[in-house]
Amino acid sequence: MSELGMNTVSFAGRAAASSQFKATYAEGMGLVEETAAFLDGPGRAAAKVLPRQASVLYAAESMRLTTRLMQMASWLLLQRAVNNGEMSRDQVLSEKSKVRLDGFNVDRNAPGWNDLPEAFRDLVERSLRLQNRIALLDREIYRPAEEEFLPDNENSVQAQLNLLRTAFNAG
């Protein structure tokens, strides 16, 4: 390992405790509240008049959406706890193993998808974008220490370009 590698700054670790994290936290918790309000109000009314196929899809996607949001909210709360010194990183690692930030994808080609309320589809899309950003942040913060340093033979510019592509494709 080179001397340069030993002095590498963890930008992800800094980002987790920054205003960027606070904004992500606020966005995530706001999306949870907005989704709950929609599903309990306009979404409930809209679901009653959906065609049968769209109604079944709405029920399934509503469950996926709420599960996705609860998983993200759990991760955000754990990260906030470690940022505030309420939990150690090891405690968070133990707890976050119960949190899923992958899966829960959507089949936009499913029969009935276009019959779903536009506001509901928007909530689903926004939750997926947020899920991708949180999963990326999670990988950056909690990857094993030995992965934080690039091997001497790896092109660091190419590695950074790959990270940027991942970030932009996720968002």
Side-chain angles (χ1 to χ4, degrees):
M1 188 144 335
S2 69
E3 282 184 39
L4 179 63
M6 296 302 288
N7 294 322
T8 302
V9 175
S10 171
F11 292 108
R14 290 185 186 271
S18 71
S19 59
Q20 177 189 3
F21 172 76
K22 290 177 184 159
T24 302
Y25 179 87
E27 180 184 354
M29 294 308 177
L31 191 56
V32 168
E33 290 178 24
E34 183 181 349
T35 300
F38 176 82
L39 293 176
D40 285 341
R44 187 175 302 221
K48 291 179 182 176
V49 297
L50 288 174
R52 173 89 175 117
Q53 197 168 32
S55 179
V56 171
L57 182 62
Y58 181 83
E61 290 301 329
S62 295
M63 288 177 36
R64 284 188 192 102
L65 174 61
T66 54
T67 301
R68 182 182 315 113
L69 288 171
M70 290 302 101
Q71 294 296 310
M72 288 188 294
S74 296
W75 187 92
L76 290 166
L77 288 167
L78 285 169
Q79 188 58 45
R80 186 182 73 170
V82 79
N83 289 353
N84 293 340
E86 297 164 2
M87 292 178 77
S88 72
R89 183 179 167 98
D90 288 341
Q91 288 173 313
V92 168
L93 284 171
S94 173
E95 287 300 313
K96 92 175 200 63
S97 66
K98 301 171 191 166
V99 175
R100 285 191 54 203
L101 293 173
D102 58 349
F104 309 116
N105 290 326
V106 173
D107 180 5
R108 293 167 189 87
N109 296 318
W113 176 257
N114 290 325
D115 294 328
L116 299 177
E118 186 177 347
F120 177 76
R121 287 181 289 152
D122 179 62
L123 290 168
V124 169
E125 294 299 333
R126 288 168 47 208
S127 73
L128 289 168
R129 286 191 303 268
L130 183 61
Q131 176 189 29
N132 286 334
R133 288 194 341 254
I134 290 173
L136 182 63
L137 188 58
D138 179 71
R139 285 190 300 272
E140 289 299 310
I141 294 170
Y142 294 103
R143 68 180 168 194
E146 63 272 8
E147 290 181 22
E148 289 184 21
F149 305 109
L150 297 172
D152 290 335
N153 61 352
E154 184 173 343
N155 180 337
S156 60
V157 173
Q158 186 61 47
Q160 289 302 311
L161 287 173
N162 290 339
L163 284 174
L164 287 172
R165 272 191 213 101
T166 301
F168 284 109
N169 288 336

